[in-house]
Amino acid sequence: MAWIKELFPLNVFSLLFEILLKTSRKLPHLRFKVSNGAPATQFKFLKNSWFTDEVSRQTLVFHLEGALLKSYSQFPYLMLVAFEAGGLIRAVILLLLYPLAWLLGHELGLRLLVFVSFVGIKKDKFRVGTAILPKFFLEDVGVVGFDMVCKFKIKVAVTGMPRIMVECFLRDYLGTDAIIARELKEFHGYFLGLMEENMEPAPVINLEMTSHNIGLGCFRKSHNQKFLSHCKEIYMVTEAEKKTWQVLPRKRYMKQLIFHDGRLAFRPTPLKALAMFIWLPFGFLLHIIRIMVFTSLPYKFSTPLLAFSGLINTVSKVESPVSSVKSEEKRGGVLYVCNHRTLLDPVYIGIALMKPVSAVTYSLSRFSEVISPIKTVRLTRNRVKDGELMTTMLSKGDLVVCPEGTTCREPYLLRFSPLFAELTDEIVPVAIKLQVSMFYGSTASGIKSLDSTLHLMNPNPSCLIVILNKLPIWQTHNAGGKSKFEVANHVQGQIATALGFECTDLTRKDKYMILAGNEGIV
């Protein structure tokens, strides 16, 4: 047994102790060491009382995942990259490799997940960092961390994620002056999935030359210690403190989040992502059943069956527009003007009215036209031709139009096109509020033929329909003498009030330029 002692002079516990001791020597800034006076770096537990006017004028170096976001995990954001930019198969591979990444440790595991998420993706087509991720970052920001970061005039963010994932969020929604993050290597315009070794801040900030930097970090991460070592004071956030943080409310966003893209409507943590992949075959079957019920049964039978399948359609009528129109002996149909939440908005209105309606659309796929349970007609974006087409359809029955011209997921209304006000004075505003739990049934840059499929694959989508009062004659364009713009703005305001939404002057073109980098030509 002597040879065993010679080869293994230390037992397991002493060996672990030696490893920890060597690690601590490599990271001297993690120790509370004082020599000949005050320590070079002061680590303190985070307290709200330490902020003063003098402190707020200094440069703050903060760790994104540890000091601002409630969750430490970077997996959900990489899953969004894999699913939205790489597709379903890549997302499945990422989930399967997650246990291995966890075993490899933080740094090696992160590199593995980044490689799977990015390898082979074309750089100039990558818009996940600008169109999708800011929404999920904002929904994970803690109020306490946000307040601490915003108190400083100059803010430098440190993160382990690739720069292309976080730059838009930190710059546009947090006002960060510099970002310390790693770049992704590329080859002929395609990502290799490998991160550069060096993380350097932008030239506008030189941490070594700044007189008094204040660091804000966490105890669980270590890859940010190199840059926190430039700080004279470092305040650490404990895990127990972060659990008490509240999520930053929407009204406190530094910039309004009006547009975002992507298909996933939930934060894809490992367990939730696994649940989604398990649900997919059942959801696809459920969507087929719902389409069959939509297209083959009368409304009085289809409505309870759809509710039984989890698709809830709630109707609230301020006044019955159908009876009011019948009392007036007017030729033609009623024009139902609604905000646009999903491709199925006219179908939901038909179910609410319990009668067939027609609809006009700009970018409906051929597949959606085939399976649509109501009559749909494509518009040409030529005002004269579109006006004549809608007038013809109104002469044959009720018509549903969405003057926004495109869908908007957030509680905002885009500018209403005034074309509908010229067609008829029989105008009924309809307010629609939609909630989904898994998939969004709209997209700016994805495959539009999947819009209705993904919406109907949600386990329990719910739609609230509020049918408002028909516009009085004195509020119309033709008989009432109001300008078409006044009518459009009035209807927009009524719908916004009913839903608690906010009106904007943004248009369809603005949405597509922000999310897809084009003018929405489909």
Side-chain angles (χ1 to χ4, degrees):
M1 299 295 291
W3 62 274
I4 296 180
K5 293 182 179 179
E6 291 179 0
L7 291 176
F8 303 96
L10 299 175
N11 59 36
V12 175
F13 297 101
S14 60
L15 182 61
L16 290 175
F17 179 79
E18 281 291 318
I19 293 174
L20 291 174
L21 184 60
K22 291 179 180 179
T23 303
S24 65
R25 287 171 182 169
K26 294 179 181 180
L27 300 174
H29 45 267
L30 291 179
R31 294 180 295 157
F32 295 84
K33 181 177 179 181
V34 180
S35 60
N36 299 325
T41 302
Q42 300 176 359
F43 279 80
K44 304 178 181 179
F45 288 97
L46 187 60
K47 300 295 181 183
N48 290 334
S49 59
W50 68 275
F51 284 109
T52 63
D53 292 337
E54 181 180 355
V55 169
S56 64
R57 289 192 292 268
Q58 309 301 326
T59 297
L60 175 71
V61 182
F62 70 95
H63 185 236
L64 173 62
E65 296 93 306
L68 183 68
L69 304 181
K70 284 176 57 64
S71 172
Y72 292 103
S73 177
Q74 297 155 329
F75 176 85
Y77 309 111
L78 292 170
M79 173 58 74
L80 287 165
V81 172
F83 186 89
E84 304 290 359
L88 182 62
I89 296 178
R90 187 189 294 260
V92 172
I93 295 174
L94 185 74
L95 181 63
L96 293 176
L97 290 177
Y98 176 71
L100 175 61
W102 183 80
L103 292 173
L104 289 175
H106 175 73
E107 182 60 21
L108 288 178
L110 176 62
R111 288 181 178 275
L112 175 62
L113 297 181
V114 169
F115 176 80
V116 175
S117 301
F118 280 94
V119 62
I121 292 179
K122 199 170 184 179
K123 182 178 181 180
D124 61 359
K125 297 292 184 181
F126 184 82
R127 304 191 67 84
V128 176
T130 57
I132 299 174
L133 288 179
K135 168 188 181 291
F136 292 92
F137 281 128
L138 284 169
E139 292 177 350
D140 195 28
V141 171
V143 173
V144 177
F146 179 79
D147 289 338
M148 291 186 292
V149 171
C150 288
K151 287 180 180 293
F152 286 82
K153 184 178 181 180
I154 301 177
K155 300 179 282 290
V156 179
V158 182
T159 178
M161 289 182 281
R163 179 186 298 273
I164 197 171
M165 292 178 59
V166 301
E167 188 169 20
C168 177
F169 163 68
L170 291 172
R171 182 187 65 243
D172 296 342
Y173 293 92
L174 204 63
T176 304
D177 299 280
I179 303 169
I180 302 175
R182 286 171 285 195
E183 302 287 352
L184 285 170
K185 296 181 180 180
E186 57 181 282
F187 181 74
H188 290 295
Y190 289 87
F191 290 123
L192 296 177
L194 304 175
M195 292 189 291
E196 300 283 357
E197 294 296 331
N198 296 326
M199 300 198 312
E200 297 297 337
V204 70
I205 299 293
N206 190 329
L207 297 179
E208 296 181 358
M209 295 182 63
T210 307
S211 60
H212 189 176
N213 301 322
I214 292 181
L216 186 58
C218 62
F219 285 107
R220 291 187 54 170
K221 305 297 180 184
S222 60
H223 59 266
N224 60 335
Q225 302 299 336
K226 173 183 175 182
F227 299 98
L228 293 181
S229 64
H230 293 297
C231 302
K232 290 188 176 181
E233 293 186 66
I234 299 179
Y235 296 83
M236 306 300 282
V237 181
T238 64
E239 188 172 0
E241 287 174 317
K242 291 188 69 173
K243 289 181 179 179
T244 64
W245 289 5
Q246 299 296 320
V247 176
L248 184 69
R250 176 184 297 275
K251 62 183 179 180
R252 295 198 57 193
Y253 289 178
M254 295 181 65
K255 175 184 175 182
Q256 291 179 328
L257 178 71
I258 300 177
F259 300 125
H260 60 85
D261 205 9
R263 292 298 194 178
L264 295 185
F266 66 99
R267 177 183 171 82
T269 61
L271 288 178
K272 290 183 179 180
L274 177 61
M276 176 193 69
F277 292 129
I278 295 174
W279 169 257
L280 283 178
F282 300 99
F284 186 76
L285 178 62
L286 180 62
H287 122 270
I288 294 176
I289 295 174
R290 286 170 172 170
I291 288 178
M292 293 175 62
V293 172
F294 264 131
T295 56
S296 61
L297 296 178
Y299 289 127
K300 63 180 180 179
F301 297 117
S302 64
T303 302
L305 289 177
L306 291 172
F308 181 75
S309 74
L311 198 156
I312 308 299
N313 196 31
T314 305
V315 182
S316 175
K317 295 185 179 181
V318 177
E319 176 183 306
S320 176
V322 177
S323 60
S324 66
V325 172
K326 287 183 177 178
S327 62
E328 305 171 8
E329 297 185 356
K330 295 280 185 181
R331 291 183 299 175
V334 177
L335 184 64
Y336 293 95
V337 181
C338 67
N339 59 310
H340 204 6
R341 308 302 284 181
T342 182
L343 184 67
L344 298 179
D345 291 341
V347 179
Y348 284 133
I349 292 177
I351 294 176
L353 297 173
M354 300 297 288
K355 68 174 184 175
V357 295
S358 301
V360 291
T361 181
Y362 286 113
S363 55
L364 188 67
S365 67
R366 295 297 180 187
F367 175 75
S368 299
E369 283 182 323
V370 171
I371 66 173
S372 175
I374 64 174
K375 182 180 179 181
T376 59
V377 177
R378 288 173 176 265
L379 297 179
T380 64
R381 300 196 183 279
N382 181 300
R383 292 184 59 86
V384 177
K385 292 182 179 179
D386 291 343
E388 294 175 353
L389 179 61
M390 287 189 283
T391 301
T392 302
M393 296 183 68
L394 268 172
S395 65
K396 299 178 181 179
D398 295 337
L399 178 64
V400 177
V401 297
C402 304
E404 290 177 289
T406 186
T407 56
C408 183
R409 300 171 178 177
E410 297 302 312
Y412 299 95
L413 294 184
L414 307 186
R415 189 175 70 194
F416 276 26
S417 169
L419 178 59
F420 73 89
E422 305 174 20
L423 306 178
T424 179
D425 292 334
E426 300 297 315
I427 299 173
V428 176
V430 180
I432 299 178
K433 180 179 289 187
L434 188 73
Q435 289 185 342
V436 294
S437 57
M438 191 170 289
F439 302 111
Y440 285 116
S442 60
T443 181
S445 57
I447 303 174
K448 291 189 174 293
S449 59
L450 295 177
D451 285 357
S452 59
T453 297
L454 288 172
H455 176 74
L456 294 176
M457 284 178 63
N458 280 288
N460 53 347
S462 63
C463 184
L464 171 65
I465 306 290
V466 181
I467 302 177
L468 305 176
N469 292 318
K470 183 169 74 74
L471 254 63
I473 294 297
W474 59 272
Q475 283 284 2
T476 62
H477 172 65
N478 297 320
K482 296 286 185 179
S483 73
K484 58 183 179 181
F485 300 102
E486 289 178 311
V487 176
N489 292 338
H490 176 68
V491 173
Q492 183 194 35
Q494 279 193 318
I495 295 176
T497 301
L499 296 174
F501 287 4
E502 183 178 339
C503 295
T504 73
D505 290 328
L506 298 173
T507 64
R508 179 181 186 276
K509 181 179 178 180
D510 296 323
K511 169 187 170 179
Y512 277 86
M513 288 300 297
I514 293 172
L515 299 183
N518 57 56
E519 296 184 5
I521 304 300
V522 180

